[in-house]
Amino acid sequence: MGDPVAQLGRMMVLGGLGLAVLGGVLWAGARFGLGRLPGDLAWGGDGWSVRFPLATSLLVSVVLTILLHLWARARG
């Protein structure tokens, strides 16, 4: 198997890279209006606000479903 400490270090580095990629995608998505799509619900008043990104959630779900499907087909 290998050294458990080395495996833990590798998992931490890969997890950190994954979080960095996810952060970059979210940052880029915000620049293109992700979270403010038609169908995203928002209510607010004096000192409070509630946001429910319905359209954004559906879009992200469809994109992830397609990507994971393609990835699974490529693996065999």
Side-chain angles (χ1 to χ4, degrees), residues 7-21:
Q7 289 179 351
L8 178 62
R10 181 176 179 212
M11 285 187 346
M12 291 177 72
V13 167
L14 291 176
L17 289 174
L19 285 174
V21 168

Side-chain angles (χ1 to χ4, degrees), residues 49-74:
S49 66
V50 176
R51 300 183 59 83
F52 186 71
L54 181 63
T56 299
S57 298
L58 290 173
L59 178 66
V60 168
S61 177
V62 168
V63 169
L64 287 176
T65 300
I66 291 169
L67 289 175
L68 289 174
H69 177 73
L70 293 174
W71 181 62
R73 286 187 62 186

Side-chain angles (χ1 to χ4, degrees), residues 4-46:
V5 175
Q7 289 179 351
L8 178 62
R10 181 176 179 212
M11 285 187 346
M12 291 177 72
V13 167
L14 291 176
L17 289 174
L19 285 174
V21 168
L22 179 61
V25 168
L26 291 174
W27 188 19
R31 292 182 58 106
F32 293 111
L34 203 60
R36 294 186 314 260
L37 297 175
D40 288 345
L41 307 174
W43 298 277
D46 293 335

